[in-house]
Amino acid sequence: MGANHLMGNYARQEIAFEHGRGVFLYDADGNRYLDAVGGLAVNLLGHAHPAITEAVSAQAAALLHTSNLYRIPLQEQLATTLTALCNMESAFFCNSGAEANEAAIKLARLHGHRREIGAPHIVVMENAFHGRTMATLTATGNRRAQAGFEPLLGGFVRCPWDDLDALRTIASQRSDVVAVMLEPIQGEGGIRQLQPGRLAGIRELCDAQGWLLICDEIQSGMGRTGHFLASMDEGVTPDIVTLAKGLGNGVPIGACLARGDAATLFAPGNHGSTFGGNPLACRAALAVLAVLEKENLAAQAAATGEWLISELRQRTAGLQCVREIRGRGLMIGIELDRDVPDLVAAARARGLLINVTAGNVIRLLPPLVLTRDEAAQVADLLTPLIAALETAPEAT
């Protein structure tokens, strides 16, 4: 009913949910599903968290929107809180991760023009994912996502992932580079991490070249890996950080944060957003941050994730179809030796919601409120499905 009038840009699963509670979702028949996708890393506090319900309800009854023609005290409060948490100095609020990354790209180009570089370029990584607007799609390292939308934008240089020597070569050959943009952990690219110390090496190179370091923490941030930002795990402070997804726990909000010279680049008229940072979204985000701190959820995510990764490795030891289980905190990838187009449906039939990215990587992004017992349920439901692949013919 009505589905025929939606554009066909999503391959939706044949299921709809009526309500949720904690890490569980329920369909119209009352069937319960453990949500190990978390709305693609959005539902940081799970579903129907009372603090978010209270904040959104109270704000909806008071004031939803005034526009950025006027001061928004909740936006100012959120900027103060977020910049302190991220060691940044200024914030721009928008509605999504792609918009936050668009703002970061514009800041980098302004930075280049301030340095009198006529055609500033940003180094981006192979297999990266930064969004689906034209600029962020160009920055994304996925030809399948880009196909059909050419001509893509100029101003980007692609570098192999986790290859500092290649980045140094770019530095030695080009004088038009102004920034490096990367995800500290690639999400859509298959939960791929940089080698220990690599991000610090990139930071050092950026400092030597006068480049901005832009960290897209849209999926890896908000405490998911154990620190508020994944870049903090490596002791690295970027010049620009982008956030979204879990920041509003389902209420759309994105943020582009900056420090140093990048913090003061935007002037009136340089950039904007009609809905960005409205009272409702900021009230929700402030409630999320308060719960994260009060319940120490970053530490819980680190401990629960470490246990789940270890448990999954133990239970799948010896399975030839498992190439690697990797991740940090509650950002976990299980790389298989084949594409698994039917695995999502098989898991759903058992009451577990998962995601497969890059064709053969099971991606787990559960809410940070996931308990040890609930993590054990994820392992209980998932590992028999993986084990069954051993005797199944490989998909062609």
Side-chain angles (χ1 to χ4, degrees):
M1 182 176 65
N4 291 338
H5 296 285
L6 294 171
M7 289 190 181
N9 52 308
Y10 297 113
R12 291 184 172 93
Q13 300 173 42
E14 287 297 324
I15 189 170
F17 302 106
E18 285 205 335
H19 66 279
R21 183 71 61 183
V23 300
F24 295 99
L25 284 167
Y26 299 82
D27 65 18
D29 297 320
N31 298 310
R32 189 177 80 163
Y33 301 82
L34 201 164
D35 184 5
V37 181
L40 290 173
V42 167
N43 299 107
L44 210 67
L45 308 182
H47 303 281
H49 193 286
I52 307 305
T53 301
E54 180 182 357
V56 169
S57 299
Q59 192 58 47
L63 185 66
L64 290 176
H65 178 80
T66 61
S67 89
N68 286 293
L69 290 172
Y70 315 103
R71 284 186 54 210
I72 302 173
L74 285 167
Q75 188 182 123
E76 295 168 9
Q77 183 182 346
L78 180 59
T80 298
T81 303
L82 269 183
T83 52
L85 285 168
C86 298
N87 298 318
M88 295 286 125
E89 297 171 17
S90 66
F92 165 78
F93 293 106
C94 49
N95 311 288
S96 68
E99 290 179 53
N101 283 336
E102 284 275 346
I105 290 167
K106 290 180 74 172
L107 284 173
R109 290 191 173 188
L110 273 175
H111 171 69
H113 285 292
R114 293 278 178 90
R115 297 176 61 194
E116 299 185 346
I117 296 174
H121 282 63
I122 300 169
V123 178
V124 292
M125 301 296 157
E126 291 180 355
N127 300 314
F129 185 87
H130 296 295
R132 295 184 185 274
T133 62
M134 284 308 300
T136 59
L137 183 65
T138 306
T140 289
N142 184 329
R143 279 299 304 150
R144 189 164 52 182
Q146 295 169 339
F149 299 106
E150 298 85 357
L152 300 174
L153 300 183
F156 295 93
V157 180
R158 204 160 308 281
C159 179
W161 172 250
D162 199 21
D163 191 336
L164 187 54
D165 287 338
L167 193 58
R168 290 184 178 126
T169 298
I170 291 171
S172 69
Q173 294 179 345
R174 303 189 65 124
S175 59
D176 57 357
V177 171
V178 297
V180 174
M181 184 176 190
L182 56 79
E183 304 153 274
I185 302 175
Q186 290 188 336
E188 294 286 337
I191 315 296
R192 300 190 182 279
Q193 302 182 70
L194 295 166
Q195 295 181 46
R198 184 73 83 221
L199 190 60
I202 295 172
R203 169 77 275 179
E204 183 179 347
L205 181 61
C206 287
D207 289 340
Q209 296 294 321
W211 298 347
L212 299 177
L213 175 59
I214 304 169
C215 281
D216 175 345
E217 297 260 13
I218 289 161
Q219 194 166 136
S220 61
M222 296 296 299
R224 181 162 293 279
T225 66
H227 287 91
F228 191 77
L229 301 174
S231 51
M232 291 177 173
D233 299 341
E234 301 289 331
V236 170
T237 303
D239 300 292
I240 300 173
V241 172
T242 55
L243 295 170
K245 288 192 180 290
L247 181 56
N249 205 60
V251 177
I253 183 170
C256 178
L257 312 173
R259 70 180 181 98
D261 292 342
T264 57
L265 284 168
F266 277 159
N270 282 153
H271 197 49
S273 170
T274 297
F275 297 102
N278 68 44
L280 181 71
C282 290
R283 180 78 174 267
L286 284 165
V288 169
L289 295 175
V291 173
L292 280 177
E293 181 180 12
K294 180 181 179 182
E295 299 184 10
N296 199 18
L297 289 180
Q300 179 175 321
T304 305
E306 182 180 3
W307 181 88
L308 182 54
I309 291 170
S310 175
E311 188 73 9
L312 289 169
R313 285 172 176 165
Q314 290 179 33
R315 295 194 190 197
T316 60
L319 295 181
Q320 298 300 310
C321 65
V322 178
R323 287 179 176 167
E324 185 181 17
I325 298 177
R326 55 181 178 258
R328 200 185 307 167
L330 289 176
M331 190 173 183
I332 300 170
I334 304 167
E335 184 176 347
L336 304 172
D337 68 349
R338 68 198 74 177
D339 285 356
V340 282
D342 301 323
L343 195 62
V344 169
R348 190 176 68 243
R350 294 175 62 93
L352 177 66
L353 303 179
I354 62 170
N355 172 251
V356 173
T357 189
N360 66 331
V361 179
I362 302 169
R363 178 171 50 164
L364 304 178
L365 299 165
L368 305 197
V369 295
L370 186 80
T371 66
R372 180 72 60 86
D373 287 345
E374 291 161 348
Q377 291 180 52
V378 173
D380 290 342
L381 293 166
L382 185 56
T383 49
L385 295 172
I386 297 173
L389 295 173
E390 285 289 272
T391 56
E394 291 193 27
T396 57

mmCIF file of all heavy atoms in Angstrom, residues 346-369:
data_model
loop_
_atom_site.group_PDB
_atom_site.id
_atom_site.type_symbol
_atom_site.label_atom_id
_atom_site.label_comp_id
_atom_site.label_asym_id
_atom_site.label_seq_id
_atom_site.Cartn_x
_atom_site.Cartn_y
_atom_site.Cartn_z
ATOM 1 N N ALA A 346 18.377 -14.925 6.126
ATOM 2 C CA ALA A 346 18.487 -16.096 7.003
ATOM 3 C C ALA A 346 18.606 -15.683 8.464
ATOM 4 O O ALA A 346 17.994 -16.290 9.345
ATOM 5 C CB ALA A 346 19.696 -16.935 6.589
ATOM 6 N N ALA A 347 19.367 -14.620 8.724
ATOM 7 C CA ALA A 347 19.497 -14.131 10.096
ATOM 8 C C ALA A 347 18.179 -13.546 10.587
ATOM 9 O O ALA A 347 17.772 -13.762 11.735
ATOM 10 C CB ALA A 347 20.607 -13.081 10.169
ATOM 11 N N ARG A 348 17.511 -12.807 9.719
ATOM 12 C CA ARG A 348 16.223 -12.224 10.101
ATOM 13 C C ARG A 348 15.211 -13.312 10.461
ATOM 14 O O ARG A 348 14.423 -13.155 11.405
ATOM 15 C CB ARG A 348 15.695 -11.357 8.962
ATOM 16 C CG ARG A 348 14.482 -10.524 9.345
ATOM 17 C CD ARG A 348 14.053 -9.620 8.208
ATOM 18 N NE ARG A 348 13.519 -10.385 7.082
ATOM 19 C CZ ARG A 348 14.056 -10.422 5.868
ATOM 20 N NH1 ARG A 348 15.150 -9.735 5.601
ATOM 21 N NH2 ARG A 348 13.504 -11.140 4.901
ATOM 22 N N ALA A 349 15.237 -14.423 9.751
ATOM 23 C CA ALA A 349 14.326 -15.530 10.045
ATOM 24 C C ALA A 349 14.583 -16.117 11.429
ATOM 25 O O ALA A 349 13.690 -16.699 12.041
ATOM 26 C CB ALA A 349 14.464 -16.617 8.976
ATOM 27 N N ARG A 350 15.804 -15.920 11.936
ATOM 28 C CA ARG A 350 16.150 -16.402 13.271
ATOM 29 C C ARG A 350 15.967 -15.325 14.333
ATOM 30 O O ARG A 350 16.267 -15.558 15.510
ATOM 31 C CB ARG A 350 17.605 -16.890 13.293
ATOM 32 C CG ARG A 350 17.856 -18.125 12.441
ATOM 33 C CD ARG A 350 19.340 -18.461 12.416
ATOM 34 N NE ARG A 350 19.852 -18.787 13.743
ATOM 35 C CZ ARG A 350 19.929 -20.023 14.247
ATOM 36 N NH1 ARG A 350 19.489 -21.046 13.526
ATOM 37 N NH2 ARG A 350 20.421 -20.230 15.448
ATOM 38 N N GLY A 351 15.521 -14.130 13.921
ATOM 39 C CA GLY A 351 15.288 -13.054 14.878
ATOM 40 C C GLY A 351 16.486 -12.151 15.113
ATOM 41 O O GLY A 351 16.569 -11.491 16.142
ATOM 42 N N LEU A 352 17.388 -12.100 14.128
ATOM 43 C CA LEU A 352 18.582 -11.257 14.248
ATOM 44 C C LEU A 352 18.685 -10.364 13.020
ATOM 45 O O LEU A 352 18.620 -10.831 11.886
ATOM 46 C CB LEU A 352 19.839 -12.120 14.360
ATOM 47 C CG LEU A 352 21.177 -11.372 14.418
ATOM 48 C CD1 LEU A 352 21.300 -10.553 15.702
ATOM 49 C CD2 LEU A 352 22.353 -12.352 14.293
ATOM 50 N N LEU A 353 18.868 -9.069 13.233
ATOM 51 C CA LEU A 353 19.033 -8.125 12.139
ATOM 52 C C LEU A 353 20.507 -7.797 11.982
ATOM 53 O O LEU A 353 21.152 -7.311 12.913
ATOM 54 C CB LEU A 353 18.246 -6.843 12.412
ATOM 55 C CG LEU A 353 16.746 -7.020 12.664
ATOM 56 C CD1 LEU A 353 16.099 -5.670 12.953
ATOM 57 C CD2 LEU A 353 16.060 -7.712 11.491
ATOM 58 N N ILE A 354 21.049 -8.095 10.794
ATOM 59 C CA ILE A 354 22.446 -7.810 10.477
ATOM 60 C C ILE A 354 22.506 -7.079 9.153
ATOM 61 O O ILE A 354 21.499 -6.908 8.464
ATOM 62 C CB ILE A 354 23.304 -9.094 10.401
ATOM 63 C CG1 ILE A 354 22.799 -10.003 9.272
ATOM 64 C CG2 ILE A 354 23.324 -9.817 11.740
ATOM 65 C CD1 ILE A 354 23.714 -11.177 8.954
ATOM 66 N N ASN A 355 23.691 -6.664 8.777
ATOM 67 C CA ASN A 355 23.926 -5.997 7.502
ATOM 68 C C ASN A 355 25.154 -6.624 6.879
ATOM 69 O O ASN A 355 26.074 -7.032 7.576
ATOM 70 C CB ASN A 355 24.124 -4.484 7.740
ATOM 71 C CG ASN A 355 24.561 -3.748 6.498
ATOM 72 O OD1 ASN A 355 25.696 -3.317 6.391
ATOM 73 N ND2 ASN A 355 23.656 -3.599 5.546
ATOM 74 N N VAL A 356 25.162 -6.733 5.560
ATOM 75 C CA VAL A 356 26.346 -7.192 4.832
ATOM 76 C C VAL A 356 26.809 -6.057 3.940
ATOM 77 O O VAL A 356 26.031 -5.509 3.155
ATOM 78 C CB VAL A 356 26.049 -8.460 4.005
ATOM 79 C CG1 VAL A 356 27.246 -8.804 3.121
ATOM 80 C CG2 VAL A 356 25.710 -9.631 4.922
ATOM 81 N N THR A 357 28.066 -5.682 4.071
ATOM 82 C CA THR A 357 28.639 -4.612 3.259
ATOM 83 C C THR A 357 29.819 -5.163 2.468
ATOM 84 O O THR A 357 30.392 -6.207 2.826
ATOM 85 C CB THR A 357 29.073 -3.425 4.150
ATOM 86 O OG1 THR A 357 29.433 -2.328 3.323
ATOM 87 C CG2 THR A 357 30.250 -3.792 5.039
ATOM 88 N N ALA A 358 30.162 -4.482 1.397
ATOM 89 C CA ALA A 358 31.263 -4.901 0.517
ATOM 90 C C ALA A 358 31.064 -6.321 0.000
ATOM 91 O O ALA A 358 32.021 -6.990 -0.374
ATOM 92 C CB ALA A 358 32.611 -4.783 1.231
ATOM 93 N N GLY A 359 29.819 -6.804 0.014
ATOM 94 C CA GLY A 359 29.493 -8.105 -0.539
ATOM 95 C C GLY A 359 29.705 -9.274 0.388
ATOM 96 O O GLY A 359 28.883 -10.194 0.452
ATOM 97 N N ASN A 360 30.801 -9.257 1.152
ATOM 98 C CA ASN A 360 31.157 -10.436 1.936
ATOM 99 C C ASN A 360 31.550 -10.132 3.380
ATOM 100 O O ASN A 360 32.167 -10.968 4.042
ATOM 101 C CB ASN A 360 32.313 -11.184 1.268
ATOM 102 C CG ASN A 360 33.607 -10.385 1.275
ATOM 103 O OD1 ASN A 360 33.589 -9.161 1.270
ATOM 104 N ND2 ASN A 360 34.733 -11.085 1.304
ATOM 105 N N VAL A 361 31.207 -8.944 3.883
ATOM 106 C CA VAL A 361 31.561 -8.588 5.254
ATOM 107 C C VAL A 361 30.283 -8.375 6.063
ATOM 108 O O VAL A 361 29.503 -7.458 5.784
ATOM 109 C CB VAL A 361 32.430 -7.313 5.316
ATOM 110 C CG1 VAL A 361 32.756 -6.965 6.770
ATOM 111 C CG2 VAL A 361 33.713 -7.505 4.516
ATOM 112 N N ILE A 362 30.061 -9.236 7.044
ATOM 113 C CA ILE A 362 28.945 -9.041 7.965
ATOM 114 C C ILE A 362 29.300 -7.870 8.867
ATOM 115 O O ILE A 362 30.332 -7.883 9.541
ATOM 116 C CB ILE A 362 28.700 -10.300 8.822
ATOM 117 C CG1 ILE A 362 28.423 -11.516 7.936
ATOM 118 C CG2 ILE A 362 27.542 -10.070 9.797
ATOM 119 C CD1 ILE A 362 28.433 -12.834 8.707
ATOM 120 N N ARG A 363 28.436 -6.860 8.861
ATOM 121 C CA ARG A 363 28.712 -5.649 9.637
ATOM 122 C C ARG A 363 27.753 -5.583 10.813
ATOM 123 O O ARG A 363 26.538 -5.592 10.636
ATOM 124 C CB ARG A 363 28.585 -4.405 8.749
ATOM 125 C CG ARG A 363 28.815 -3.104 9.496
ATOM 126 C CD ARG A 363 28.896 -1.901 8.578
ATOM 127 N NE ARG A 363 27.793 -1.810 7.632
ATOM 128 C CZ ARG A 363 27.503 -0.693 6.962
ATOM 129 N NH1 ARG A 363 28.226 0.403 7.120
ATOM 130 N NH2 ARG A 363 26.497 -0.665 6.112
ATOM 131 N N LEU A 364 28.321 -5.496 12.011
ATOM 132 C CA LEU A 364 27.535 -5.396 13.239
ATOM 133 C C LEU A 364 27.740 -4.012 13.841
ATOM 134 O O LEU A 364 28.864 -3.612 14.140
ATOM 135 C CB LEU A 364 27.959 -6.476 14.243
ATOM 136 C CG LEU A 364 27.890 -7.923 13.746
ATOM 137 C CD1 LEU A 364 28.379 -8.878 14.840
ATOM 138 C CD2 LEU A 364 26.478 -8.298 13.314
ATOM 139 N N LEU A 365 26.633 -3.283 14.001
ATOM 140 C CA LEU A 365 26.656 -1.925 14.553
ATOM 141 C C LEU A 365 25.541 -1.790 15.594
ATOM 142 O O LEU A 365 24.684 -0.908 15.488
ATOM 143 C CB LEU A 365 26.454 -0.898 13.438
ATOM 144 C CG LEU A 365 27.495 -0.870 12.310
ATOM 145 C CD1 LEU A 365 26.967 -0.082 11.118
ATOM 146 C CD2 LEU A 365 28.815 -0.274 12.811
ATOM 147 N N PRO A 366 25.533 -2.624 16.613
ATOM 148 C CA PRO A 366 24.423 -2.606 17.567
ATOM 149 C C PRO A 366 24.435 -1.358 18.440
ATOM 150 O O PRO A 366 25.456 -0.658 18.537
ATOM 151 C CB PRO A 366 24.677 -3.859 18.409
ATOM 152 C CG PRO A 366 26.154 -4.059 18.352
ATOM 153 C CD PRO A 366 26.556 -3.627 16.964
ATOM 154 N N PRO A 367 23.327 -1.043 19.074
ATOM 155 C CA PRO A 367 23.303 0.082 20.012
ATOM 156 C C PRO A 367 24.346 -0.093 21.114
ATOM 157 O O PRO A 367 24.682 -1.227 21.500
ATOM 158 C CB PRO A 367 21.881 0.026 20.594
ATOM 159 C CG PRO A 367 21.070 -0.677 19.543
ATOM 160 C CD PRO A 367 22.003 -1.683 18.936
ATOM 161 N N LEU A 368 24.846 1.011 21.630
ATOM 162 C CA LEU A 368 25.867 0.947 22.676
ATOM 163 C C LEU A 368 25.320 0.445 23.998
ATOM 164 O O LEU A 368 26.101 0.106 24.892
ATOM 165 C CB LEU A 368 26.517 2.328 22.875
ATOM 166 C CG LEU A 368 27.134 3.017 21.657
ATOM 167 C CD1 LEU A 368 28.076 4.128 22.106
ATOM 168 C CD2 LEU A 368 27.831 2.049 20.728
ATOM 169 N N VAL A 369 24.008 0.389 24.139
ATOM 170 C CA VAL A 369 23.398 -0.129 25.369
ATOM 171 C C VAL A 369 23.374 -1.653 25.371
ATOM 172 O O VAL A 369 22.894 -2.261 26.340
ATOM 173 C CB VAL A 369 21.972 0.420 25.563
ATOM 174 C CG1 VAL A 369 21.999 1.925 25.781
ATOM 175 C CG2 VAL A 369 21.067 0.062 24.375
#
